[in-house]
Amino acid sequence: GQQVMQIPQYQHVQEGEDFTTYCNSSTTLSNIQWYKQRPGGHPVFLIQLVKSGEVKKQKRLTFQFGEAKKNSSLHITATQTTDVGTYFCAGRITGGGNKLTFGTGTQLKVEL
Amino acid sequence: DGGITQSPKYLFRKEGQNVTLSCEQNLNHDAMYWYRQDPGQGLRLIYYSQIVNDFQKGDIAEGYSVSREKKESFPLTVTSAQKNPTAFYLCASSLADFQSYNEQFFGPGTRLTVL
């Protein structure tokens, strides 16, 4: 079954509100990557985290990797309509080879 | 113009027919992947290949087959044994990541509908 879960599955926000999606793995991850898929499009790589407790920022986006390397979060400050899409986390399960396991995704809708 | 191409964008087939989805990349990547995307289930790995003439099963390989005869190409065949073939299929590639973790680049996808 799915080993990497994301919550929430859907999120509707008003433009300007903050948004957070959480990624939880049942097993330790070697790394975590985040991808964004616009409606009708394909996933595009955003960022990668490798170290325990690592935090990275890209403008209004803040990414965090948990201390136990089993969870991660993506926080968007002051959402804009351009943030609309589905956000996926993906990680390599320790001992699971070189394949990525993708999370279930969080679909974000931003209303004016 | 470098990238990954998948064709066609939309594909319709009758139940019981095999169908092959193409994936070509000119990024000089060693690794290539096939994912299936269904609503609410994220991306699930079907097959992946780290090098030419070698490939491994992913999490949902049953009913699918692949080949990797050329570095640039990784076609996926959806066989009649696949019980629920209607889905959005995504191909991706990356540098071979035996020592580090590399991002994956995705193609535009093929939406397969089996009637």
Side-chain angles (χ1 to χ4, degrees):
Chain A
Q2 192 80 39
Q3 293 178 288
V4 180
M5 302 297 294
Q6 279 183 256
I7 53 171
Q9 187 175 2
Y10 302 100
Q11 184 79 60
H12 290 201
V13 299
Q14 295 288 323
E15 188 177 41
E17 292 181 338
D18 291 356
F19 159 77
T20 303
T21 172
Y22 299 91
C23 176
N24 297 293
S25 172
S26 56
T27 56
T28 303
L29 301 172
S30 301
N31 68 329
I32 196 85
Q33 295 180 351
W34 283 91
Y35 291 79
K36 176 183 178 181
Q37 184 177 22
R38 293 183 185 274
H42 57 275
V44 175
F45 175 82
L46 294 176
I47 207 162
Q48 174 168 262
L49 305 164
V50 179
K51 299 176 183 176
S52 170
E54 189 171 12
V55 178
K56 287 188 177 181
K57 293 188 176 183
Q58 285 181 349
K59 297 183 180 178
R60 295 178 295 104
L61 278 61
T62 302
F63 305 83
Q64 188 167 10
F65 200 8
E67 294 288 343
K69 301 185 78 173
K70 286 187 174 182
N71 54 70
S72 180
S73 65
L74 158 59
H75 179 81
I76 302 179
T77 304
T79 55
Q80 300 175 359
T81 53
T82 53
D83 295 324
V84 166
T86 301
Y87 293 85
F88 292 100
C89 63
R92 278 179 177 77
I93 294 173
T94 303
N98 287 317
K99 59 180 184 178
L100 273 179
T101 297
F102 276 78
T104 46
T106 295
Q107 184 178 348
L108 173 64
K109 292 189 176 181
V110 180
E111 299 171 355
L112 292 171
Chain B
D1 188 20
I4 303 177
T5 56
Q6 292 184 245
S7 61
K9 189 171 183 178
Y10 299 95
L11 189 56
F12 297 88
R13 279 294 181 269
K14 291 183 179 179
E15 192 173 350
Q17 289 182 335
N18 291 358
V19 60
T20 298
L21 311 184
S22 77
C23 178
E24 303 279 333
Q25 55 97 3
N26 60 6
L27 300 169
N28 201 31
H29 287 166
D30 285 304
M32 296 187 75
Y33 314 82
W34 273 106
Y35 294 92
R36 170 182 172 139
Q37 185 172 28
D38 296 282
Q41 295 197 49
L43 279 68
R44 292 183 292 168
L45 183 65
I46 304 173
Y47 269 98
Y48 65 108
S49 169
Q50 303 272 39
I51 198 168
V52 174
N53 292 322
D54 188 40
F55 49 83
Q56 288 80 40
K57 292 182 179 180
D59 300 317
I60 56 165
E62 185 176 351
Y64 300 97
S65 66
V66 293
S67 63
R68 186 85 189 276
E69 298 176 1
K70 298 187 301 182
K71 187 176 184 178
E72 301 80 16
S73 179
F74 191 40
L76 173 74
T77 297
V78 184
T79 75
S80 57
Q82 169 48 235
K83 296 179 181 178
N84 297 299
T86 294
F88 187 48
Y89 291 88
L90 286 159
C91 178
S93 72
S94 73
L95 294 170
D97 44 19
F98 300 104
Q99 298 298 329
S100 63
Y101 311 117
N102 296 294
E103 66 183 276
Q104 293 187 7
F105 294 80
F106 285 82
T110 292
R111 191 166 297 278
L112 173 65
T113 302
V114 176
L115 305 171

